[in-house]
Amino acid sequence: HASIVSCLCVFGISHFGLYYLYSSTTPYAGEIKYQQDKALAATLQANLIDRDQETVDQLKKMGKYPAKHDLEHFIDGLLEQKHITNDKDAEMITRFEMQQHTPDILITNYSMLEYMLMRQEEQSIWKDTSEWLKADDENKLLFIIDEAHMYRGASGGEVALLIRRFINKLGVDRKKIQFILTSASIPKNEENKVKQFIADLTAMDDNDSSNIAIIRGSQEIIDNHSSIKLDAELLAQFDIDLLHGKSRMTGIRQFGKLAKLDVDSCDFSDEKQVENWLYKELVKIKPLLSIMKNCRGNAIAFDELAKKVFPDANSTVAKKATSVLLSVAPLAKNKEGQVLFPSRLHMMFRGIRGIYACSNPNCHAKKHVTNLPLGKIYIGNHPDICECGGKVYELLNDRTCGALFLRGYMDLDYPEDRFIWNKKGA
């Protein structure tokens, strides 16, 4: 019945199933103001009520349409500075609704929760919650913390103290609150450390740690015995750019033909059908199943992954072929919207602190073999004078035409010698 979700948090008492997002994005802070209510009413009217039915259906499907029993009645109330909550509502929109009717579920974050514990406006929430918890021994509060592994170190200590303040504010025993912590980063074979972390974060006594249960998901078995083998050379020739933009459907069809999938069973004018078709067909491709198997539960370097998936191909071909499969896989979704291969690819980039060049085209220290009239090239740290005696300047590139320029400075105090060697650090 009652819960606090964090992304930090959730709790509740009054209307069964009623939930509310309480954060800095929630309209609106302070006291009830006519101009604010009028603006909110106009926004809801224009962006929701006045939309065509197809858009409204899409918004509802995406969970972007308020779950109000009568949204128009709520808007009419705003124009009279009334934030009306219907008994049949499943969602509240403004802070004032929740301050008047404590919800069953509150979604917030630790920063907002800290403010709520202190401010007068939200005190009714804690009073109602405390009374509900004390009314029956069976009444318990569910407190959910998402991405719990983020609350470590100094920030974790702050959240741990905030949770203790929260429990003290309600004036109830710790056993009246059940915690659920979610994370995709629970280390293996370290359950004792994980349990200690949970106990420290959630104000649990050490002798109660036996009540902690770590629940792990179960992986489906990947069977690639009857799957389709694909030639790395053939895959490497596929143009990945076809999978993006307006050509995506054409690109997927071409990939399907290349991979010998059943392209005739799919209507490529229907994006949803294509996503579902890919979800069903891609599991037939042996190299993709190998990618999924190697990436399960651990991070792996791209070069190493390519080598494992295509062990008989040369490095360049293997990486190109792997890139194609990694580009196709995220496009496959089932009817529930679940992605076949929800991978995360980290592209590391380190910027350079400038490129500099010796201005002597006959520089004996240069190592590049080009027709450019430049001497030795320096990256980052550089001397003012090259070892050949030439002046070193910053090398610039025009983004529109590609032309190269040497960046020099002029000192107006020395008109007879305008082109100087960076005097005054200009």
Side-chain angles (χ1 to χ4, degrees):
H1 177 68
S3 44
I4 237 199
V5 176
S6 154
C7 326
L8 214 292
C9 318
V10 198
F11 33 98
I13 319 92
S14 58
H15 304 76
F16 183 79
L18 195 64
Y19 72 93
Y20 185 81
L21 174 64
Y22 208 114
S23 71
S24 60
T25 62
T26 309
Y28 52 85
E31 299 178 351
I32 295 178
K33 301 179 183 68
Y34 175 70
Q35 290 301 327
Q36 297 271 37
D37 283 347
K38 183 179 178 182
L40 177 58
T43 299
L44 294 174
Q45 184 72 39
N47 293 341
L48 299 173
I49 300 298
D50 294 343
R51 290 291 186 95
D52 60 272
Q53 191 58 45
E54 183 180 354
T55 302
V56 169
D57 291 341
Q58 285 293 326
L59 288 171
K60 289 181 177 179
K61 188 176 181 180
M62 295 164 61
K64 301 293 185 181
Y65 199 94
K68 287 285 188 186
H69 176 68
D70 190 342
L71 184 57
E72 292 189 53
H73 180 63
F74 176 76
I75 292 173
D76 291 340
L78 287 176
L79 296 175
E80 298 178 8
Q81 291 187 269
K82 296 178 181 178
H83 295 244
I84 302 169
T85 303
N86 190 294
D87 287 341
K88 296 181 180 179
D89 286 348
E91 180 181 359
M92 294 178 179
I93 295 178
T94 69
R95 298 184 181 195
F96 308 103
E97 282 190 88
M98 196 193 65
Q99 291 166 8
Q100 296 164 10
H101 304 283
T102 302
D104 291 293
I105 301 173
L106 173 72
I107 303 174
T108 186
N109 54 61
Y110 64 86
S111 297
M112 183 58 73
L113 179 59
E114 184 171 16
Y115 282 118
M116 293 173 70
L117 289 173
M118 296 186 294
R119 294 191 306 206
Q120 187 62 38
E121 299 96 299
E122 290 90 5
Q123 294 312 300
S124 61
I125 299 171
W126 313 127
K127 181 176 179 293
D128 291 346
T129 303
S130 178
E131 289 177 356
W132 177 80
L133 287 171
K134 295 174 181 177
D136 193 309
D137 291 340
E138 296 298 317
N139 290 349
K140 287 190 176 183
L141 187 68
L142 181 62
F143 195 121
I144 304 173
I145 304 177
D146 191 22
E147 302 290 354
H149 59 272
M150 300 293 291
Y151 302 107
R152 296 176 294 177
S155 61
E158 291 178 5
V159 173
L161 290 173
L162 179 63
I163 290 172
R164 286 159 175 77
R165 283 177 53 201
F166 170 74
I167 297 172
N168 183 64
K169 184 73 173 181
L170 295 180
V172 297
D173 189 271
R174 165 66 176 74
K175 294 179 181 179
K176 292 288 285 183
I177 302 176
Q178 179 182 352
F179 286 84
I180 295 178
L181 280 62
T182 67
S183 173
S185 304
I186 299 177
K188 297 178 180 178
N189 305 320
E190 293 189 15
E191 289 203 356
N192 289 334
K193 289 184 178 179
V194 173
K195 287 184 177 182
Q196 186 61 54
F197 166 76
I198 294 170
D200 291 342
L201 182 63
T202 63
M204 177 179 284
D205 293 334
D206 291 337
N207 55 2
D208 289 337
S209 59
S210 58
N211 293 325
I212 298 175
I214 298 176
I215 303 172
R216 300 180 185 272
S218 57
Q219 294 182 340
E220 293 182 5
I221 298 174
I222 296 178
D223 180 12
N224 59 5
H225 295 297
S226 59
S227 51
I228 302 170
K229 294 182 179 180
L230 286 182
D231 180 61
E233 292 278 358
L234 192 63
L235 266 179
Q237 295 173 18
F238 181 80
D239 184 3
I240 295 179
D241 290 339
L242 292 174
L243 298 173
H244 307 285
K246 295 181 180 180
S247 63
R248 184 166 61 169
M249 294 300 109
T250 301
I252 293 174
R253 183 180 179 87
Q254 288 187 16
F255 173 83
K257 288 183 177 180
L258 180 150
K260 299 178 182 178
L261 303 177
D262 185 12
V263 295
D264 295 331
S265 65
C266 179
D267 178 7
F268 285 86
S269 64
D270 186 338
E271 187 172 348
K272 278 289 182 186
Q273 188 179 141
V274 172
E275 291 175 349
N276 299 161
W277 173 80
L278 274 175
Y279 193 93
K280 181 182 68 174
E281 293 290 320
L282 288 184
V283 293
K284 299 176 183 178
I285 299 176
K286 190 168 186 176
L288 180 58
L289 294 176
S290 178
I291 288 175
M292 295 169 67
K293 189 174 182 179
N294 280 287
C295 291
R296 272 189 165 186
N298 62 284
I300 183 171
F302 177 71
D303 291 358
E304 183 184 349
L305 178 64
K307 187 176 181 180
K308 287 187 175 184
V309 176
F310 297 103
D312 300 327
N314 70 55
S315 176
T316 302
V317 171
K319 286 189 280 189
K320 285 184 178 180
T322 304
S323 295
V324 172
L325 293 174
L326 288 174
S327 297
V328 172
L331 305 178
K333 299 179 184 179
N334 63 12
K335 293 181 179 179
E336 287 72 41
Q338 295 176 322
V339 180
L340 174 65
F341 184 61
S343 62
R344 176 176 293 176
L345 181 64
H346 295 276
M347 302 295 290
M348 303 301 181
F349 173 79
R350 181 175 63 185
I352 56 177
R353 293 179 297 169
I355 303 177
Y356 302 83
C358 171
S359 56
N360 178 13
N362 299 316
C363 175
H364 60 74
K366 69 178 181 181
K367 298 179 181 180
H368 59 90
V369 183
T370 67
N371 294 324
L372 295 173
L374 296 172
K376 184 177 179 179
I377 304 297
Y378 297 88
I379 305 295
N381 295 330
H382 64 284
D384 286 338
I385 304 297
C386 180
E387 58 191 87
C388 74
K391 178 71 178 77
V392 175
Y393 291 100
E394 186 176 5
L395 187 64
L396 303 181
N397 172 243
D398 189 294
R399 294 178 63 182
T400 56
C401 68
L404 293 175
F405 297 88
L406 291 175
R407 183 180 187 179
Y409 297 88
M410 293 187 296
D411 191 335
L412 299 180
D413 294 335
Y414 296 86
E416 71 282 355
D417 185 15
R418 293 254 174 147
F419 297 96
I420 64 168
W421 292 357
N422 214 20
K423 285 184 179 179
K424 300 182 181 179

